[in-house]
Amino acid sequence: MIIAIDGPAGSGKSTIAKLLAKKLNTEYIDSGAIYRTITLFGIQTFAEGCEGNESRIFELLKDNPETIKISYEDHTQIMWLNNENVSQKIRDPKVTVQVKYIADHQNCRELVNQSIRKTAEKYSVVIDGRDIGTIVFPKTPYKFYLDAKPVIRAERRAKEYSIPLDSPGFEQLVKSINTRDKEDKERKIAPLRKASDALLIDTSGLDIEGVLKEILPHIQPLKS
Ligand code: CDP
């Protein structure tokens, strides 16, 4: 079983995907974390970072497939870079700013997609990302597209990072959400969009339980 959950930053994908994976006893694949780990590798390898070095980053990873490893423990995906657990490091804002260069590179995207498809051959999976229902698994019948108003998505991120809503930091967060939406939706390769057969869920007014209630009836029949 492959469950694809796509949507913009802060739409609640990862929270829901993790919970679903636990509930259905499947693995959880965070495709964004793989893009982030490739980005961190680029930042660590090239003084000038990922911009302009995308092809070299791809070649290095292709020739040294052990550089990035992924393990799955208790429905949690752990990212390893040169045998270091970088699951926290990849959340650094420096990575968030540069990930677009990797996400915009066809060969790097193929690298990520191959890794995801290999895992999905072995296990049932819930995968969150931007192009899972459109490009990576267009044939899966289980596709969900989560969305929410940008300001609400920024509020969620602010809560995660303990940023007060009346601070300049919050204004910055709203700007960054809008910039990332634009980058994700206007990208030439694998842009963020809802697959025509995905169920759209606006999570603006829903809590986690509310979102699960919308999703589960579409999946339950499969379990029996
Ligand atoms: O910050 P957030 O959790 O929303 O993003 P993420 O899921 O960690 O993904 C990081 C970045 O990787 C996103 O901004 C996307 O541009 C890119 N990405 C992608 O292009 N395709 C995917 N399937 C997943 C992520």
Side-chain angles (χ1 to χ4, degrees):
M1 173 181 28
I2 295 167
I3 300 174
I5 304 188
D6 290 306
S11 55
K13 301 181 304 285
S14 62
T15 309
I16 295 298
K18 255 181 239 167
L19 269 174
L20 266 182
K22 269 195 185 150
K23 252 189 197 311
L24 304 171
N25 198 23
T26 72
E27 294 299 349
Y28 161 54
I29 302 181
D30 175 352
S31 62
I34 312 177
Y35 285 99
R36 285 174 177 274
T37 307
I38 298 177
T39 307
L40 181 62
F41 169 72
I43 291 172
Q44 289 183 352
T45 308
F46 296 102
E48 65 279 23
C50 296
E51 186 176 12
N53 288 316
E54 300 85 347
S55 295
R56 289 204 278 172
I57 291 168
F58 164 72
E59 293 294 337
L60 282 170
L61 291 175
K62 190 181 64 144
D63 294 343
N64 303 282
E66 298 289 289
T67 308
I68 292 177
K69 289 185 205 142
I70 307 175
S71 62
Y72 297 94
E73 287 171 29
D74 193 23
H75 309 287
T76 303
Q77 172 178 288
I78 301 174
M79 296 304 309
W80 302 87
L81 178 56
N82 291 318
N83 296 319
E84 179 193 350
N85 180 345
V86 291
S87 305
Q88 283 307 315
K89 262 193 194 166
I90 56 171
R91 306 285 153 198
D92 191 285
K94 277 192 212 122
V95 174
T96 307
V97 168
Q98 293 205 26
V99 71
K100 64 178 176 215
Y101 301 115
I102 300 301
D104 218 353
H105 192 263
Q106 182 63 49
N107 284 338
C108 289
R109 295 202 74 88
E110 267 315 307
L111 216 56
V112 175
N113 294 348
Q114 272 169 22
S115 152
I116 296 174
R117 289 183 182 128
K118 225 166 100 187
T119 307
E121 271 171 23
K122 278 192 276 178
Y123 310 106
S124 282
V125 286
V126 180
I127 315 168
D128 77 1
R130 303 293 194 280
D131 61 341
I132 308 303
T134 51
I135 308 274
V136 191
F137 291 108
K139 292 201 179 126
T140 183
Y142 306 105
K143 294 182 189 177
F144 303 91
Y145 187 93
L146 305 193
D147 208 347
K149 293 189 187 85
V151 70
I152 291 186
R153 293 190 274 122
E155 281 172 17
R156 289 179 185 154
R157 282 287 141 99
K159 205 171 159 194
E160 242 173 80
Y161 296 110
S162 308
I163 297 171
L165 298 189
D166 55 357
S167 69
F170 179 65
E171 273 170 45
Q172 202 50 47
L173 212 53
V174 175
K175 268 194 203 147
S176 131
I177 287 272
N178 285 323
T179 307
R180 292 187 61 207
D181 280 1
K182 201 169 144 56
E183 285 165 2
D184 278 336
K185 289 178 180 169
E186 292 179 5
R187 176 167 64 219
K188 282 196 202 81
I189 314 165
L192 168 66
R193 62 181 174 79
K194 179 190 157 306
S196 56
D197 54 344
L199 179 73
L200 171 67
I201 302 172
D202 184 344
T203 69
S204 300
L206 295 174
D207 59 9
I208 293 165
E209 278 308 311
V211 180
L212 278 178
K213 255 193 203 156
E214 298 264 334
I215 291 180
L216 280 171
H218 298 273
I219 296 171
Q220 297 292 16
L222 193 97
K223 288 179 73 194
S224 54

